[in-house]
């Protein structure tokens, strides 16, 4: 199928001469579906920052209203000329419908007052999301519900579970690309229907052109490449984040210890290769040996990704490369961009349905511009930071009936699991005085544009990276006071434990290892906790370590340099 074919005539002949103004009006209609597709993105960004989004009464009414709206637009069919875009929309709707259903209807509630009402809203809405995802095969309007529901569930988790620091990097691209394409295709189909209506006055340009296959193909091509550009913006902005780090444009490429993510993943219990320390140690040494060339390739692919829009084959090849990159990162460190892998796979599937040279120049330029400047509207991840092997890592430990403290697998927290791999409970480097090293749990330094204070050990994130690469950043023994909000771990873990107990009593509970995590806790690295029944756990405590990670004699060495031990949190009355 040819989408936005460059060889097609700009406008089909209908036996009517057009004035320049009329031609401009008709050309503007090409971008009308594109502009309408941006509306739900702006609404989503607005809703995500509003407390009312998480209000139980509003959530119930919103779910019912959205379901009615999707049904009301069920008369709108997919444009026949938009097959590739339809592939992406249907794939995303079914994926998010399944994910939304699998998220469950019982989040870990730290705010108990909202639990019951929100549970009811989630219980019915997730069933609608699953059904709507399947119905999206037939109509684009149904694709909207599972996308909005998935976003709602994630933001509810952030608001009421005590996991306020949960990010959107892993799932926001799916939601926004899906909403943009689905709503754009609805408007395009409606424009085709409007073209069958007689113009109101003779002074208005005739809408005959809007009903032609040529117009629909060009408009669908603009939508498709803009949607791909919205996602590619994540890669482009990540490249920009790397070259704007405070050590200079080449500091990440030439000096960043990227291989350290393998050690961090193992220390957190997320590394798939962790079943064999010797194999992981060997892979680490091999990766470290080619670290700089790999950095060059990754940065070049991210910064130059917009060039791929000039050829369909380039787009397919680069998208497939990004998928291989994500799979490699997962195998080496445990960081799984599952949602991005799915979206990339759908893009490849959509593009393979097309012929070479299928893009019009206007569609290509649109894709390029959205890739570079789309962050003004779309949520773009900025994955650029320095890595480290001296790391501040925090986790929960559970007290068993036998009196043993065992480390809790982060996957146990289901929809909030990502919290335990990042910054949490109000910790942020340089925000509070801390005796720990200023990194995230994965060893990230400078992920946000925050600089050390003049009183800090180092004057820049670059200097912190240089020190931590040698495990030479000075830490305090012991650490006092805690560098996190000490009031937050207790309600968070109590809400999570209460959910775990309820699910343990349920016949249809889904194992937490089957949840679509951004980082999976490898069961073989958490055998002690995996063997526990949550109903047998007596208490928890929150632990913060600064560790130095290294490889010696084919083994991973984890040396605790300092520790903050939180108070015991009893779960039995």
């Amino acid at each position: 199928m040819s989408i936005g074919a460059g060889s097609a005539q700009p406008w089909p002949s209908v036996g009517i001469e057009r004035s320049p103004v009329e031609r401009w009006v008709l050309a503007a209609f090409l971008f009308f579906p594109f502009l309408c597709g941006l509306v739900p993105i702006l609404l989503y960004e607005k809703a995500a920052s509003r407390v009312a989004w998480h209000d139980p009464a509003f959530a119930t009414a919103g779910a019912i209203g959205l379901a009615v709206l999707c049904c009301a637009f069920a008369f709108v069919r997919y444009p026949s000329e938009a097959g590739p875009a339809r592939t992406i929309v249907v794939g995303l709707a079914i994926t998010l419908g399944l994910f939304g259903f699998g998220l469950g209807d019982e989040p870990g509630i730290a705010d108990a007052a909202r639990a019951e009402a929100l549970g009811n809203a989630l219980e019915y809405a997730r069933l609608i999301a699953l059904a709507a995802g399947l119905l999206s095969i037939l109509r684009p309007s149904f694709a909207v519900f599972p996308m909005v529901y998935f976003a709602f569930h994630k933001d509810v988790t952030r608001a009421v579970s005590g996991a306020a620091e949960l990010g959107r990097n892993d799932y926001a691209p799916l939601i926004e690309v899906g909403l943009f394409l689905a709503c754009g295709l609805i408007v395009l189909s409606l424009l085709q229907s409007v073209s069958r209506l007689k113009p109101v006055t003779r002074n208005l340009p005739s809408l005959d052109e809007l009903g032609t296959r040529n117009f629909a193909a060009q408009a669908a091509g603009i939508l498709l490449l803009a949607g791909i550009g919205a996602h590619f913006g994540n890669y482009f902005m990540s490249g920009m984040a790397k070259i704007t780090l405070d050590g200079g444009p080449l500091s990440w490429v030439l000096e960043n210890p990227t291989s350290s993510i393998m050690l961090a993943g193992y220390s957190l219990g997320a590394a798939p290769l962790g079943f064999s320390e010797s194999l992981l140690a060997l892979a680490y040494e091999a990766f470290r040996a080619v670290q700089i060339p790999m950095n060059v390739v990754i940065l070049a692919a991210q910064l130059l990704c917009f060039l791929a829009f000039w050829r369909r084959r380039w787009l397919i090849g680069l998208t497939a490369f990004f998928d291989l990159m994500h799979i490699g990162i997962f195998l080496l460190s445990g960081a799984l961009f599952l949602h991005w892998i799915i979206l990339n796979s759908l893009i490849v599937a959509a593009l393979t349905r097309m012929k070479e040279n299928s893009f019009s120049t206007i569609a290509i330029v649109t894709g390029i511009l959205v890739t570079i400047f789309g962050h003004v509207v779309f949520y773009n991840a900025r994955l650029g930071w320095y890595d480290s092997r001296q790391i501040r890592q925090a986790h929960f430990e559970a007290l068993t009936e036998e009196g043993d403290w065992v480390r809790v697998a982060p996957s146990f927290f289901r929809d909030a699991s990502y919290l335990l791999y990042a910054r949490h409970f109000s910790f942020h480097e340089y925000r509070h005085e801390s005796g720990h090293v200023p990194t995230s749990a994965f060893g990230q330094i400078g992920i946000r544009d925050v600089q050390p204070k003049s009183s800090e050990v180092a004057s820049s994130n670059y200097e912190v990276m240089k020190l931590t690469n040698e495990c030479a950043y000075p830490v305090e023994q012991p650490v006092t006071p805690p560098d996190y909000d000490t009031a937050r771990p207790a309600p968070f873990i109590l809400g999570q434990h209460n959910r775990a107990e309820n699910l343990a009593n349920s016949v249809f509970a889904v194992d937490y290892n089957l949840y679509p995590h951004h980082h999976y806790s490898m069961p073989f690295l958490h055998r002690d906790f995996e063997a526990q029944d949550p109903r047998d756990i007596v208490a928890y405590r929150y632990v913060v370590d600064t560790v130095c990670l290294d490889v010696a004699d084919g083994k991973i060495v984890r040396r605790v340099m300092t520790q903050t031990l939180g108070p015991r949190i009893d779960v039995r009355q």
Side-chain angles (χ1 to χ4, degrees):
M1 177 177 292
S2 179
I3 300 296
S7 59
Q9 294 297 319
W11 298 109
S13 174
V14 291
I16 301 176
E17 286 295 326
R18 297 289 175 219
S19 69
V21 173
E22 289 175 335
R23 289 183 176 275
W24 275 106
V25 170
L26 290 169
F29 271 114
L30 273 176
F31 282 92
F32 188 66
F34 168 86
L35 294 174
C36 290
L38 296 178
V39 172
I41 309 304
L42 295 172
L43 291 175
Y44 165 57
E45 293 293 337
K46 193 74 172 177
S49 63
R50 297 280 181 165
V51 176
W53 172 264
H54 315 111
D55 179 77
F58 180 85
T60 302
I64 296 173
L66 182 60
V68 171
L69 194 62
C70 291
C71 292
F73 279 88
F75 69 92
V76 181
R77 299 175 179 271
Y78 284 100
S80 60
E81 298 81 6
R86 179 180 183 176
T87 297
I88 297 176
V89 170
V90 172
L92 291 179
I94 293 177
T95 297
L96 294 179
L98 291 171
F99 282 179
F101 180 78
L103 290 177
D105 56 0
E106 188 177 354
I109 301 291
D111 184 354
R114 299 187 182 186
E116 184 176 354
L118 274 171
N120 291 335
L122 295 173
E123 179 180 1
Y124 299 115
R126 72 183 185 126
L127 296 173
I128 298 174
L130 179 61
L134 297 175
L135 289 173
S136 69
I137 298 173
L138 304 175
R139 296 290 189 271
S141 62
F142 290 114
V144 174
F145 193 95
M147 296 169 186
V148 173
Y149 174 73
F150 193 80
F152 164 74
H153 196 294
K154 289 287 189 177
D155 286 335
V156 163
T157 299
R158 185 182 299 108
V160 304
S161 71
E165 293 86 359
L166 284 175
R168 295 190 287 162
N169 286 343
D170 61 324
Y171 66 87
L174 270 78
I175 294 171
E176 295 194 346
V177 170
L179 284 175
F180 170 76
L181 289 177
C183 293
L185 292 179
I186 291 172
V187 173
L188 176 56
S189 185
L190 289 174
L191 274 180
Q192 291 180 295
S193 299
V194 169
S195 69
R196 303 186 185 97
L197 302 177
K198 185 177 180 180
V200 179
T201 68
R202 295 181 62 184
N203 293 327
L204 292 177
S206 171
L207 299 181
D208 291 344
E209 282 87 343
L210 304 186
T212 64
R213 294 181 62 85
N214 182 72
F215 174 88
Q218 291 199 57
I222 291 172
L223 278 175
L224 176 64
L225 291 195
I228 296 174
H231 177 47
F232 268 38
N234 292 288
Y235 297 109
F236 178 77
M237 294 306 298
S238 295
M240 291 298 296
K242 291 178 175 66
I243 64 172
T244 55
L245 289 170
D246 58 15
L250 297 179
S251 61
W252 184 87
V253 169
L254 300 179
E255 299 182 73
N256 183 61
T258 312
S259 56
S260 296
I261 63 173
M262 299 176 64
L263 304 180
Y266 178 79
S267 180
L268 288 167
L273 294 182
F275 69 91
S276 170
E277 275 195 64
S278 58
L279 178 60
L280 181 64
L282 182 63
Y284 168 73
E285 296 290 0
F287 185 18
R288 190 169 63 170
V290 296
Q291 186 168 260
I292 292 179
M294 287 297 296
N295 286 352
V296 171
V297 171
I298 291 172
L299 183 61
Q302 291 178 335
L303 288 178
L304 302 178
C305 64
F306 62 89
L307 296 178
F309 284 89
W310 288 105
R311 294 289 186 274
R312 181 188 68 98
R313 291 179 182 176
W314 295 358
L315 266 179
I316 293 174
L318 186 58
T319 306
F321 168 79
F322 284 142
D323 259 0
L324 292 174
M325 179 183 73
H326 291 312
I327 293 171
I329 291 173
F330 168 67
L331 293 176
L332 294 177
S333 71
L336 178 61
F337 281 79
L338 177 62
H339 303 81
W340 290 28
I341 291 173
I342 292 172
L343 178 53
N344 285 338
S345 299
L346 290 171
I347 290 173
V348 170
L351 293 174
T352 53
R353 298 187 57 185
M354 304 169 62
K355 297 178 181 178
E356 196 62 52
N357 301 319
S358 292
F359 302 135
S360 65
T361 302
I362 194 170
I364 292 172
V365 172
T366 300
I368 292 174
L369 291 177
V370 173
T371 298
I372 298 174
F373 302 108
H375 63 274
V376 176
V377 177
F378 292 94
Y379 179 90
N380 278 167
R382 291 165 169 79
L383 308 181
W385 53 75
Y386 295 119
D387 293 295
S388 166
R389 62 187 186 88
Q390 184 183 3
I391 305 174
R392 178 192 184 276
Q393 293 188 333
H395 61 274
F396 281 96
E397 291 181 344
L399 179 62
T400 67
E401 290 183 328
E402 292 75 23
D404 299 320
W405 287 99
V406 297
R407 183 168 178 167
V408 178
S411 291
F412 170 75
F413 302 108
R414 296 179 181 265
D415 45 1
S417 65
Y418 182 54
L419 183 73
L420 273 298
Y421 291 104
R423 299 159 176 81
H424 41 285
F425 303 142
S426 297
F427 165 75
H428 195 298
E429 56 267 37
Y430 318 128
R431 179 178 294 172
H432 304 293
E433 184 177 348
S434 175
H436 287 283
V437 64
T439 74
S440 74
F442 239 89
Q444 299 160 331
I445 303 169
I447 190 171
R448 297 180 177 89
D449 294 328
V450 180
Q451 295 292 328
K453 301 174 184 177
S454 58
S455 59
E456 298 288 344
V457 173
S459 61
S460 68
N461 288 310
Y462 173 76
E463 291 184 10
V464 173
M465 180 269 289
K466 298 292 286 185
L467 287 171
T468 57
N469 194 33
E470 302 297 330
C471 287
Y473 190 95
V475 294
E476 186 178 311
Q477 289 278 8
V479 175
T480 56
D483 56 5
Y484 61 92
D485 186 346
T486 56
R488 290 184 57 193
F492 173 78
I493 193 63
L494 290 174
Q496 297 292 330
H497 179 79
N498 181 64
R499 172 173 59 177
E501 283 192 322
N502 292 339
L503 292 174
N505 294 324
S506 174
V507 178
F508 302 104
V510 178
D511 187 273
Y512 57 74
N513 286 315
L514 299 179
Y515 179 88
H517 297 282
H518 185 36
H519 301 83
Y520 278 88
S521 303
M522 296 296 115
F524 48 78
L525 295 177
H526 296 276
R527 289 192 177 94
D528 291 339
F529 182 76
E530 290 283 332
Q532 300 299 317
D533 187 312
R535 292 166 292 192
D536 296 333
I537 292 175
V538 176
Y540 294 89
R541 66 184 179 189
Y542 184 63
V543 182
V544 182
D545 295 330
T546 286
V547 299
C548 175
L549 305 174
D550 204 352
V551 170
D553 300 324
K555 298 291 182 180
I556 309 299
V557 178
R558 184 181 190 269
R559 177 168 60 90
V560 177
M561 302 179 70
T562 191
Q563 184 178 80
T564 301
L565 196 61
R568 170 172 165 158
I569 305 169
D570 289 299
V571 295
R572 294 183 179 180
Q573 301 299 328

